[in-house]
Amino acid sequence: MRHLLLPFLAVHGLSQSHAAPEPLPDLAYDFISEYCINCHDDDSAKGDMVLDGDSINWSDWHDAERWTKVHAMLESGDMPPEKEDQPSATERAALLDWLDTTLTENVQPGGTVIRRLNRQEYEQTVSDTLGIPFSVPNSFPPDTEFHGFDNIGEGLILSPPLMEQYVHLATAAADLLLPPAKKTKEIASQSYPIGPGDFTLNFTTGHEIDGILRMVDSRAPLARSSVWPNRFEARASGIYEVEVDLSAFKATQGHVPIVHLLARNTANSAFQKTYELKTLATFKVDSDAPQTFRASVSLERGETVVIHYENGPVAGDQVWVQTGQEKTKYEAYIAQLLLDAFREDPALGAAWMKVGYERSFRGWSWWDKIEKALQQGDLDVASFDPESPEVKAFADQMSKRGTNTVETIDCMHFFKGPGVDIHQMTFTGPTRLIDDEATLAQKKRTGRFLKGRDGRDDRSYTQATLRPTLDKAFRRPVSDAQLEKYVSIALTHIEKGHSFEEGLHLALRASLCSPRFLFREYREGPMDTFDLAARLSYFLTTGPPDAILRKHAKEGTLNDPAVLEAQTRRLLQHNKVKFFLDSFTGQWLDLRLLPQIMPDTRLLNWTEKDLDAITAETELFVSEILRENHPLETFIDPDFIYLNKRNAKLYDIKFANTEEMTRVEIPRGGLRGGLLTQASVLMATANGVDTQPVLRGAWMLENIFGQPTPPPPSNVPAIEPDTTGAKSIRELLDRHKEDASCASCHLRIDPPGFALENFDPIGRWREFYPVYEKKGDKIITLDGLPVDSASVMPDGTPLADALDLKRYLSENIDIFSRCLSDKLLTYATGRPMNYGDHKVIERVVADVAAQGNGFADLIVALVQSESFRNR
Amino acid sequence: MSPVLKPLEDLRKDFSIFSGLDHRAPNGHKNWKNYLTGKSTPSISFDQIAAKAIGEQTRFESLQVTCGSFGDSLMSFTKEGIPLPAIDRPSVLYKHLFSSGTDKARMDYLLDSGGSVLDLALDEASTLQREVTNRDAAKLDEYFTSVREVEKKLQKRREWLKVPTPKVDFQLPEFDPVAPDLSLECESIMYNLMALALETDSTRVISFLLPGQGQVFTIDGEKLSAGYHGLSHHGNDPAKISEFNRVGQEHVMRFGNFLRQLNEKKDIEGKPLLDTTAVLFGSGMGDSNTHNNSQLPIVLAGGAFKHGAHHDIDRENESKSTPLLGDLFLTVLESMGLEEDSFAKANRNMNDYLL
């Protein structure tokens, strides 16, 4: 046992101003005795709530939480339960008044529990601190979500498997800065002959015939056009001599095939595009007799060489894929290839049309059938007219089969030409070893880190090198005592006979395992400028403070409200704000859940691209509101929307046939536009198959209204949607009105839920619930019961449909502003908001509303508030 | 017996065939992954349940192996649902199992110096704990517990370093056949290394994924007419089905060679290795043509179970007692000394079929 550890130290709240517990005043004591104590004494402890004390101990956060809950329950009318004795309006008001006063006085905004860096923050912090390209492996444990976010102090656990990763990755990170000494191995130059049968082929990228390998396809994805050696990859980064014997095959009319050699890492996907790879050599194959082409190429370890025919007879997709016009233009291209071939050889056309196609026909299996038809000879070539509408229609049909048809066109060209024939390929090398790109980058980094010794001894050189790194790693200037520990571990290591670099390496490993690196926001008392800089930076960039912020922290200027505002606005316009938007929006609006929801295939042919579209729509929307500082009302009722053909289809909006997300202006007060009716939100609040008004309503309350509801009592079963259409969901849920214990929450949950019932599980508008019937082996959709979206808000406002809901929120925008502020502060401070925080939020929301209600302004105001500045 | 299984003819008494077993889990393109987890949401896989129970006793708790790098070739998951990376090159697997020399020296150095890294970390934490509030101190406790656990693990690894790696008589080919079209070649070499791993008791849990993506295989000198993926979506074209089954036979042939090796080898207690090793051969897809994951093809070999039969589970007349694939898993786990009550939707076992 190396250390004596006392896990529960009796540290009394050093920063708390109250020492003695506050005794309950008579009014409170009497109230509780009459209306609460029967269920909430120590014995019954209903709902885990015990109220039989006679004082409140404000230094114990449990007490603060308890009395905050008492206030909430009394204020909403949830307590006492309807069937119990009720206090008079005056009694209730008096108690609430007292509670409000004492809670406001005693519950200071704050209370964040020490926060471990989450996965994203850890990755960015290691990268930025050491200046290395660092990322965590797939096996890195995911974070636990708490109060809706993955960066809440209380929720982030440090488990042994995670610690093991930290220890392991600390070495990996240190290696990127100070790599272990490598013995330069002598790698002898070798020759690798590669014959036509030794290439990796995909689909119809090559055809072995008459002792050569023939290529005809020029498309961009390697797996559609290119070949590369099966058994050659560079064993070491270096220069290699390449020889390729190539000849042109049936290159008519002055066509000169051009061949490129490309470098490819063997571990990468075969669907990489040629334009993503480095071109090593260009050859003009201008003879139909084999010529030897030579090149000296530099290859990184693990790379091989791809052969690509640049200007062959079958090509065309790159440009169109890149400009998003892929389908229509490419189909026209394929049809043209076919028609041209049919014009040249009508017998081929006749044969191809005779064979027709089945779903599984592609590549060689289809070509073999066509060849057979040609050989059989009983074709009506005379009446085959390539200009006729029938043949044109056939070509169009075949073009829609995309790559399946193109592969067979490849087969045709293997015999018709033009093509490039590969006779032999040889590699010799490495003739010289070189540093690969990664090594070159690392040498630069190491040089920057170590700088010059300048005649200093081990101790002073170590101190000078470690101090700035530890300042960054711990996000505050390292104390002399602390620095000494790290210098010691390095020097001791050097004394044992290890190199100077190894000593530093060890100190770096230790610093990345230190709790001062892995945790933040733990210093007692008000946050100093270093804590503030870190909190601001992790809030808006999920990364550690940059040089400018660090400077303001060190000089103490960050405490100046003008500086704090300027820095906040600087970060909001920084390109790293995308990390904030991604993380915050993805969690607040549950965008991260979307990939797991599999929509019912009876609804729609759902693809990844549809998912991408609806996610992008919301992300672009929120990003614009932030960037342009639009007023918060924009979230609910904007005058713009982001569309591409996919979400436009869901919304029944006529739109151009493009995948590109486009900003479109729309009139306010319409159905679409705004978070409430975005497909992403509507999908995240359903399960892909059915909608559940209670789930949607509860989600709205939690994330838009800021009035979260407790879970249902455990004896309530989930409602199985009655898909025979006999009972409407409303009838099934009418229980809510009858049972008093249900009504209290459902009066609030049901209205927004029903208002959104006109949207199906993927956000499309519907007037009727669908009923599915089997007709043969198909399933058809019929209209079932009509959707009834009318409801009444708890304050009596009637809502006919989603438009009314939108209007309600627009007119009471502060409800949303408070909710959004709660979410932002929870995310920023890593804790749920307490009573004091809620008072702060009310004030901030009012202030910001009076000054134009801008989203960026809201964030600035929240950063300036006590909730953000207190721990 | 299905013609695809022909290469296993002479081993008939050493394996059992199962038709009609599955997890009653979702179908679809990506859901083949629920083959070993039984569910589509992230959860622990069958092999890892065993690894957690018996992995302590060997140098490697478990091994995950595949042939060449195909991205997303992962089927073993931790209890948090994290996929375990797989070794995809024969030279790397060989080094992992049997290396010595410079790599060992570096490992030893890291583990040895790791001690002082953790010492300093604990020292920092003790100082820190004196500075923080009660609530934070309780959270920091997680840190102390975790560091001490890692210390124990490192210690164990250092002890294993002292144990010499087993010496094996094996010739690695000069070149790692990781090109997609060579994955069958890679498969053979991996099976050889896996047999050696079991024989030397380097591990007692292995999962091996045979990739089926775009590879254009050459079988008996003949290049097939399409890539594997294209063949698997045969659309009931008999020519394609025939080629598809030829690839299947190649896999089965290599599997058979693996079983023959296990038959000849002895485990570290001198018992025939096949008797003390349960081998599950199957797929996460029942009908690749339609991406249907019900009624998976399953072969169970070894493990001293009662073999030789084809168990055709009746799915037409399903009842509460119709076994699921998870029930088969439970029988295997039980035979290894584990006491698991359930696996995904299965909560009985198939002892009646196999014991």
Side-chain angles (χ1 to χ4, degrees):
Chain A
M1 184 63 105
R2 273 179 284 269
H3 303 278
L4 181 61
L5 299 160
L6 305 164
F8 278 92
L9 295 174
V11 173
H12 294 291
L14 298 170
S15 63
Q16 306 285 10
S17 51
H18 13 262
E22 175 189 341
L24 283 179
D26 286 341
L27 105 89
Y29 193 84
D30 293 340
F31 186 100
I32 290 167
S33 307
E34 188 166 346
Y35 300 110
C36 317
I37 205 68
N38 285 345
C39 299
H40 295 296
D41 60 5
D42 208 20
D43 295 323
S44 317
K46 283 228 173 124
D48 284 332
M49 177 66 78
V50 178
L51 294 172
D52 65 359
D54 55 6
S55 62
I56 308 179
N57 182 2
W58 292 112
S59 341
D60 182 353
W61 62 276
H62 292 103
D63 261 11
E65 266 192 11
R66 180 179 319 135
W67 290 99
T68 305
K69 195 160 184 200
V70 170
H71 182 278
M73 288 284 129
L74 280 175
E75 191 181 54
S76 64
D78 287 352
M79 285 289 143
E82 251 194 61
K83 59 187 197 302
E84 304 290 339
D85 286 340
Q86 296 295 315
S88 72
T90 337
E91 283 176 302
R92 193 189 288 265
L95 187 71
L96 284 173
D97 205 44
W98 164 75
L99 261 179
D100 179 55
T101 313
T102 192
L103 282 169
T104 308
E105 194 184 309
N106 290 295
V107 181
Q108 303 304 319
T112 304
V113 174
I114 184 173
R115 284 168 100 170
R116 197 203 82 209
L117 295 179
N118 73 12
R119 178 191 171 128
Q120 170 100 14
E121 291 165 355
Y122 171 75
E123 194 177 84
Q124 276 178 251
T125 307
V126 174
S127 302
D128 290 357
T129 302
L130 297 185
I132 52 174
F134 173 81
S135 52
V136 300
N138 280 341
S139 50
F140 199 82
D143 300 309
T144 350
E145 180 224 283
F146 208 62
H147 293 287
F149 296 109
D150 62 3
N151 62 356
I152 308 299
E154 221 177 302
L156 288 169
I157 302 176
L158 186 55
S159 62
L162 179 57
M163 192 69 223
E164 209 182 322
Q165 291 269 359
Y166 285 146
V167 171
H168 175 71
L169 291 171
T171 300
D175 279 353
L176 284 171
L177 198 53
L178 296 168
K182 239 187 322 195
K183 268 185 256 165
T184 40
K185 270 192 291 190
E186 274 305 308
I187 306 222
S189 173
Q190 265 185 269
S191 230
Y192 306 84
I194 293 155
D198 290 331
F199 285 89
T200 287
L201 308 183
N202 287 277
F203 309 103
T204 47
T205 56
H207 179 50
E208 262 191 84
I209 181 173
D210 300 335
I212 51 97
L213 180 67
R214 182 163 299 151
M215 301 176 69
V216 301
D217 198 308
S218 299
R219 289 180 285 169
L222 298 184
R224 300 265 184 237
S225 62
S226 313
V227 303
W228 58 88
N230 261 341
R231 286 171 212 282
F232 169 76
E233 72 180 41
R235 275 155 56 237
S237 300
I239 308 291
Y240 293 78
E241 301 301 315
V242 188
E243 284 186 1
V244 203
D245 293 349
L246 302 167
S247 62
F249 171 71
K250 290 192 181 167
T252 52
Q253 297 172 323
H255 171 69
V256 179
I258 296 180
V259 165
H260 276 184
L261 296 186
L262 311 168
R264 167 178 185 264
N265 190 304
T266 50
N268 287 346
S269 157
F271 280 91
Q272 271 186 305
K273 314 285 198 296
T274 51
Y275 49 77
E276 291 167 0
L277 303 182
K278 191 166 68 171
T279 306
L280 299 169
T282 304
F283 303 138
K284 284 209 175 91
V285 188
D286 54 6
S287 163
D288 57 8
Q291 296 175 76
T292 303
F293 294 87
R294 292 183 180 82
S296 274
V297 303
S298 81
L299 294 174
E300 304 224 336
R301 182 156 179 254
E303 283 188 333
T304 187
V305 173
V306 170
I307 302 182
H308 187 249
Y309 180 11
E310 285 296 303
N311 56 346
V314 183
D317 54 349
Q318 318 54 315
V319 174
W320 297 323
V321 168
Q322 282 171 295
T323 60
Q325 296 168 75
E326 52 185 300
K327 260 199 118 205
T328 40
K329 272 214 148 160
Y330 193 39
E331 283 170 10
Y333 171 74
I334 299 172
Q336 202 52 46
L337 282 178
L338 275 179
L339 288 172
D340 285 343
F342 292 172
R343 284 188 193 103
E344 267 191 58
D345 186 355
L348 175 64
W352 206 312
M353 280 191 77
K354 179 164 186 216
V355 167
Y357 78 100
E358 312 263 322
R359 261 190 76 176
S360 59
F361 285 8
R362 70 190 285 183
W364 284 107
S365 66
W366 198 7
W367 179 252
D368 287 341
K369 293 179 169 50
I370 297 167
E371 268 213 321
K372 217 159 147 198
L374 270 170
Q375 279 156 19
Q376 259 169 2
D378 58 343
L379 299 164
D380 186 5
V381 185
S383 59
F384 179 82
D385 176 15
E387 310 307 329
S388 67
E390 294 79 43
V391 176
K392 287 223 157 78
F394 179 73
D396 281 339
Q397 250 189 327
M398 294 305 97
S399 78
K400 288 191 174 12
R401 305 190 67 233
T403 232
N404 291 11
T405 299
V406 177
E407 283 171 15
T408 307
I409 295 178
D410 281 340
C411 297
M412 177 184 81
H413 281 286
F414 285 136
F415 304 101
K416 181 171 170 292
V420 169
D421 289 352
I422 304 169
H423 299 257
Q424 180 75 13
M425 188 175 198
T426 315
F427 288 89
T428 308
T431 55
R432 181 163 61 86
L433 292 177
I434 56 170
D435 280 337
D436 54 30
E437 273 181 36
T439 310
L440 289 169
Q442 171 266 306
K443 284 189 171 165
K444 274 203 200 120
R445 279 197 301 269
T446 309
R448 275 197 301 265
F449 180 70
L450 284 179
K451 297 194 192 64
R453 193 182 257 262
D454 297 330
R456 287 177 283 192
D457 64 14
D458 277 349
R459 169 169 282 277
S460 16
Y461 190 26
T462 306
Q463 270 173 335
T465 315
L466 281 180
R467 189 185 281 275
T469 304
L470 294 182
D471 284 352
K472 272 169 88 172
F474 302 145
R475 286 146 339 241
R476 63 179 50 253
V478 62
S479 71
D480 288 338
Q482 248 191 310
L483 176 61
E484 182 52 33
K485 291 191 181 153
Y486 288 90
V487 168
S488 254
I489 198 179
L491 293 178
T492 311
H493 203 57
I494 297 169
E495 271 158 37
K496 286 200 192 137
H498 295 283
S499 75
F500 180 75
E501 283 81 2
E502 283 173 325
L504 284 180
H505 185 275
L506 188 62
L508 285 179
R509 283 167 65 193
S511 70
L512 297 178
C513 294
S514 166
R516 293 187 199 271
F517 174 76
L518 297 170
F519 290 94
R520 56 189 177 106
E521 296 175 22
Y522 48 75
R523 283 181 69 258
E524 273 223 79
M527 300 215 303
D528 62 11
T529 49
F530 297 103
D531 278 331
L532 194 55
R535 179 174 269 190
L536 181 63
S537 185
Y538 283 110
F539 174 31
L540 296 179
T541 72
T542 67
D546 60 11
I548 301 177
L549 264 183
R550 287 201 306 272
K551 182 161 161 291
H552 281 294
K554 198 161 179 199
E555 291 168 5
T557 42
L558 199 58
N559 273 325
D560 176 349
V563 174
L564 186 56
E565 171 165 352
Q567 288 307 305
T568 306
R569 290 198 192 272
R570 176 177 74 87
L571 291 183
L572 285 176
Q573 294 296 328
H574 197 288
N575 65 12
K576 282 189 180 174
V577 82
K578 68 176 184 267
F579 294 122
F580 159 66
L581 283 167
D582 191 64
S583 177
F584 179 72
T585 316
Q587 296 183 79
W588 168 41
L589 299 175
D590 282 326
L591 298 181
R592 287 185 176 179
L593 285 183
L594 292 180
Q596 295 166 29
I597 299 177
M598 299 276 346
D600 192 339
T601 46
R602 296 173 296 188
L603 286 172
L604 188 84
N605 261 333
W606 186 261
T607 68
E608 284 278 317
K609 292 213 170 120
D610 295 301
L611 180 62
D612 288 343
I614 67 172
T615 312
E617 176 194 350
T618 303
E619 287 174 344
L620 288 166
F621 177 67
V622 176
S623 173
E624 175 176 326
I625 302 179
L626 181 61
R627 198 178 55 243
E628 304 297 327
N629 196 23
H630 288 317
L632 298 175
E633 287 85 342
T634 318
F635 278 103
I636 306 297
D637 193 11
D639 61 358
F640 64 93
I641 189 172
Y642 280 91
L643 294 174
N644 72 4
K645 68 179 190 178
R646 296 184 181 272
N647 60 342
K649 184 158 183 230
L650 293 175
Y651 299 156
D652 228 355
I653 298 176
K654 258 187 95 106
F655 197 71
N657 186 16
T658 174
E659 300 274 2
E660 203 173 306
M661 294 303 296
T662 323
R663 186 185 193 278
V664 174
E665 282 181 6
I666 52 171
R668 287 190 208 274
L671 188 65
R672 297 293 178 178
L675 290 179
L676 300 178
T677 58
Q678 282 179 6
S680 58
V681 167
L682 294 166
M683 190 168 158
T685 55
N687 60 14
V689 181
D690 310 286
T691 60
Q692 290 149 294
V694 172
L695 263 178
R696 267 199 185 144
W699 191 96
M700 286 287 150
L701 286 184
E702 166 76 48
N703 296 302
I704 306 287
F705 284 82
Q707 297 157 10
T709 43
S714 45
N715 59 343
V716 174
I719 303 280
E720 292 280 348
D722 185 341
T723 50
T724 62
K727 275 193 164 198
S728 75
I729 191 105
R730 191 175 290 258
E731 282 162 28
L732 289 172
L733 287 172
D734 262 345
R735 276 274 208 83
H736 295 164
K737 299 206 191 114
E738 296 158 21
D739 193 326
S741 62
C742 301
S744 59
C745 292
H746 278 277
L747 275 175
R748 285 187 282 136
I749 297 175
D750 292 2
F754 279 113
L756 295 172
E757 269 293 89
N758 280 113
F759 297 100
D760 75 3
I762 52 177
R764 297 181 307 185
W765 177 265
R766 64 180 174 193
E767 310 259 324
F768 298 92
Y769 290 103
V771 173
Y772 300 109
E773 250 180 39
K774 216 170 172 206
K775 271 224 147 80
D777 62 347
K778 278 206 160 133
I779 298 193
I780 57 163
T781 314
L782 301 167
D783 283 344
L785 293 171
V787 173
D788 175 11
S789 59
S791 60
V792 180
M793 291 296 280
D795 67 4
T797 315
L799 304 177
D801 56 18
L803 277 174
D804 277 353
L805 181 64
K806 215 168 147 171
R807 211 168 289 132
Y808 182 87
L809 273 168
S810 296
E811 289 162 12
N812 296 285
I813 194 64
D814 285 355
I815 298 177
F816 174 72
S817 312
R818 280 193 289 272
C819 179
L820 179 58
S821 302
D822 183 314
K823 296 289 175 195
L824 285 166
L825 277 178
T826 302
Y827 178 86
T829 62
R831 67 167 189 272
M833 296 289 101
N834 68 20
Y835 200 85
D837 289 316
H838 281 294
K839 291 276 171 176
V840 168
I841 289 174
E842 290 232 17
R843 223 193 49 236
V844 167
V845 164
D847 288 347
V848 172
Q851 313 217 3
N853 222 8
F855 185 26
D857 295 340
L858 177 67
I859 293 185
V860 168
L862 291 172
V863 166
Q864 302 272 34
S865 74
E866 309 97 281
S867 290
F868 188 84
R869 314 236 354 212
N870 288 1
R871 184 162 91 89
Chain B
M1 201 165 70
S2 156
V4 169
L5 295 179
K6 197 166 182 339
L8 296 182
E9 253 177 351
D10 60 316
L11 296 166
R12 193 63 189 91
K13 57 175 181 30
D14 291 323
F15 67 91
S16 306
I17 307 170
F18 295 88
S19 324
L21 290 178
D22 58 56
H23 293 298
R24 309 294 191 273
N27 295 321
H29 191 87
K30 293 197 170 117
N31 285 317
W32 62 266
K33 284 188 197 174
N34 60 34
Y35 173 52
L36 293 181
T37 64
K39 309 184 204 160
S40 288
T41 47
S43 54
I44 193 168
S45 57
F46 168 48
D47 57 317
Q48 290 307 304
I49 297 177
K52 285 299 153 204
I54 64 170
E56 273 246 312
Q57 303 163 43
T58 48
R59 187 186 295 264
F60 301 106
E61 198 180 79
S62 70
L63 280 184
Q64 289 68 243
V65 184
T66 186
C67 311
S69 152
F70 285 86
D72 205 26
S73 291
L74 304 167
M75 63 175 182
S76 295
F77 296 85
T78 66
K79 73 176 189 310
E80 298 90 2
I82 298 170
L84 291 170
I87 299 178
D88 57 18
R89 289 182 163 240
S91 61
V92 173
L93 182 55
Y94 182 85
K95 235 164 90 161
H96 188 66
L97 292 168
F98 308 121
S99 81
S100 52
T102 44
D103 277 352
K104 237 175 129 178
R106 172 118 186 113
M107 186 74 69
D108 196 30
Y109 166 74
L110 289 176
L111 291 173
D112 180 26
S113 51
S116 39
V117 163
L118 294 178
D119 277 350
L120 179 45
L122 285 176
D123 180 275
E124 289 257 73
S126 304
T127 319
L128 186 59
Q129 214 178 36
R130 286 193 283 277
E131 295 169 20
V132 301
T133 63
N134 283 5
R135 242 179 129 184
D136 288 352
K139 204 90 181 95
L140 261 187
D141 214 31
E142 290 168 13
Y143 180 86
F144 284 105
T145 313
S146 299
V147 170
R148 276 189 235 115
E149 280 296 314
V150 174
E151 278 184 327
K152 274 193 234 151
K153 260 201 159 166
L154 290 192
Q155 188 52 32
K156 203 163 173 269
R157 251 188 259 155
R158 281 197 82 192
E159 278 159 20
W160 271 112
L161 264 191
K162 296 194 196 106
V163 177
T165 42
K167 293 245 173 313
V168 291
D169 187 11
F170 185 80
Q171 182 70 356
L172 256 186
E174 257 209 24
F175 183 79
D176 274 336
V178 288
D181 295 357
L182 301 181
S183 59
L184 284 173
E185 208 180 297
C186 191
E187 187 177 322
S188 301
I189 306 172
M190 292 311 214
Y191 268 130
N192 296 341
L193 288 170
M194 283 157 51
L196 286 172
L198 293 172
E199 186 183 27
T200 55
D201 207 30
S202 304
T203 186
R204 295 183 189 169
V205 178
I206 308 181
S207 68
F208 184 28
L209 189 145
L210 314 176
Q213 299 206 15
Q215 312 101 301
V216 179
F217 291 117
T218 301
I219 300 175
D220 296 332
E222 200 191 307
K223 229 173 208 109
L224 299 185
S225 70
Y228 182 77
H229 188 225
L231 295 176
S232 70
H233 286 293
H234 46 72
N236 295 317
D237 171 353
K240 286 214 173 133
I241 292 178
S242 155
E243 287 198 334
F244 182 55
N245 284 334
R246 279 180 78 189
V247 179
Q249 259 198 338
E250 290 293 308
H251 285 309
V252 171
M253 184 178 85
R254 284 161 179 77
F255 174 62
N257 289 340
F258 177 62
L259 292 182
R260 283 183 203 95
Q261 287 190 64
L262 295 188
N263 243 337
E264 282 157 17
K265 291 179 189 288
K266 302 266 182 286
D267 70 12
I268 50 163
E269 289 173 0
K271 302 206 201 91
L273 194 51
L274 187 57
D275 282 351
T276 53
T277 309
V279 192
L280 177 78
F281 183 79
S283 167
M285 264 189 237
D287 180 4
S288 58
N289 194 35
T290 57
H291 276 297
N292 187 309
N293 299 345
S294 67
Q295 307 198 57
L296 305 175
I298 300 288
V299 164
L300 181 72
F305 291 113
K306 199 173 68 186
H307 286 306
H310 173 185
H311 304 287
D312 192 354
I313 308 298
D314 185 2
R315 290 293 296 272
E316 287 293 307
N317 306 304
E318 233 189 291
S319 74
K320 279 236 149 81
S321 60
T322 305
L324 305 180
L325 181 54
D327 289 309
L328 182 63
F329 290 177
L330 288 169
T331 295
V332 172
L333 290 174
E334 197 185 296
S335 77
M336 299 179 81
L338 281 85
E339 283 167 15
E340 296 287 317
D341 292 323
S342 65
F343 185 92
K345 294 189 175 145
N347 53 18
R348 287 172 299 113
N349 58 52
M350 291 184 79
N351 293 353
D352 288 342
Y353 295 78
L354 292 166
L355 296 182

